[in-house]
Amino acid sequence: MTGADGSAGVDVGAGGGAEPGVGGGVDAGPGGATAVSGVRFTASDEAKRRGVRRMKVLATGLLLVATAVYGLARWAGASGAGAWAGYVESAAEAGMVGALADWFAVTALFRRPFGLPIPHTAIIPTKKDVFGRSLGAFVGENFLAAHVVRGRLRALGVGGRVGRWLAAPGSAERVTREASAALRGVLAVLRDEDVQAVVGEAVTRRFSSQQVAQPLGRMLGRVVADGGHRGVVDLVAVRLHDWLVEHREEVVQRIAEESPGWTPKFIDHQVGVRVHKELLRFAAEVRDDPAHPARGAVDGFLADFARELRTDPGTIGRVERAKEQLLARPEVQELIASSWSAVRSLVLAAAEDEDSELRRRIRDGVRSLGERLASDGRLQRKVDGWLEDAAEYVVDTYRDEITSLISETVAGWDAVEASRKIEANVGRDLQFIRINGTVVGSLAGLLIHTVSVMAAG
């Protein structure tokens, strides 16, 4: 349709070739799509372009029919066919004018008619960047405005919808499965040595900065006041008595060896036996008598030690130094770092086991949250408010970046190819303008001729 669009052999809407001067190659994309300079042509676009070509043929055919009718009517009028020839001639002439005017208007949107540098033609290719900026500004002002986003989210009622979905049968199980899979994925990606280093550093820093003497003193004081230490004292007393029974000969021998060298050996042995017997008697009395003075001495010692941990600067300083020395030992650091491996194994096993306590608690928690969200209007409003605040922050903070994405994307398109893309999608409807221009022009010409004849008498 070279004559119809005036492109002198280059018909973007009707032909498959690119216009002269279009640079870059044409790449076939997925699904048969063609991408040129950032503009993708899909199979649907190609079908639309074929529809545009058919409509161009129809519009141009109608123009040719009007031209033929005009020529015949003019010949008939010159041959004396009668007054009717003037009516037909005027209608056909006005139809031709309307068709040509609308053809020019439609063509000027996408290219320069006949390739001539007529002002205000090829509007889409030459004004593409302006359109991109205007589109970005329009989206930013009318779609990314805080009040628009808030109103839309409020109308959706996201909190209630999420609550009803979470409370529905099977939803909590699905969320739990996805959360478990995500957790396993995170644990698989994390490097053990990195996590161990972080955990070791965090635990060491935490304990180094945290004073332990006074909290230990307060805890020990409460334990002693409540008698919570007495079970430990009972255990120590029992173990001491049993040890003395089991190691009688060793105790006797040790005492005998510590006797003066000038005493006879049998006397040293008898002294050892006597001392062991007294130790065994003392241990039995402490074990069996809850009110034994030794137990009271232990109580007093622990109470005094708890008070010193809380108030005595010297004791506090010694405990803090002992803490630092303990944390600095390699064995302690290895123990802290290795704790990650144990935690990781436990979490992985719990995440993979559908009947584990972890997954059961997640399911119950998700289901409970869903039921509350579905029924508690106050909670729904609170969740909706959080979402609205988050959305407002995003649009206020990143509005310029989002709108610049639109304008920069449009600016990156090849002008001619973008014009082809737009014409493929809207060109068919634009060809109806040409058809309507022919029809309406014919009717207007007929009406004008009729009024003129009637006015002339």
Side-chain angles (χ1 to χ4, degrees), residues 344-400:
R344 181 178 183 275
S345 300
L346 289 174
V347 174
L348 276 176
E352 293 173 356
D353 184 6
E354 293 188 0
D355 297 325
S356 67
E357 183 69 14
L358 174 64
R359 293 187 65 161
R360 186 183 66 80
R361 286 184 177 274
I362 293 176
R363 284 194 298 269
D364 293 344
V366 170
R367 189 178 295 110
S368 175
L369 175 62
E371 292 171 353
R372 284 192 60 197
L373 270 176
S375 59
D376 190 341
R378 183 172 176 271
L379 182 59
Q380 291 176 11
R381 290 189 294 272
K382 183 178 292 186
V383 171
D384 290 341
W386 291 338
L387 292 174
E388 291 171 17
D389 291 341
E392 181 177 358
Y393 172 79
V394 170
V395 298
D396 285 344
T397 305
Y398 300 104
R399 180 187 293 110
D400 293 340

Side-chain angles (χ1 to χ4, degrees), residues 265-285:
K265 295 295 182 182
F266 75 92
I267 294 179
D268 294 341
H269 180 74
Q270 291 299 322
V271 171
V273 170
R274 181 64 180 174
V275 172
H276 175 267
K277 184 181 296 185
E278 288 299 321
L279 289 174
L280 191 63
R281 180 185 61 79
F282 175 78
E285 290 176 353

Side-chain angles (χ1 to χ4, degrees), residues 20 63 66 124 137 168 174-175 249 271 299 318 322 335 374 376 380 422:
L63 171 60
I124 291 177
R174 180 178 177 182
V175 172
E249 296 301 328
V271 171
D299 294 346
R318 287 192 293 271
L335 177 62
D376 190 341
Q380 291 176 11
I422 296 172

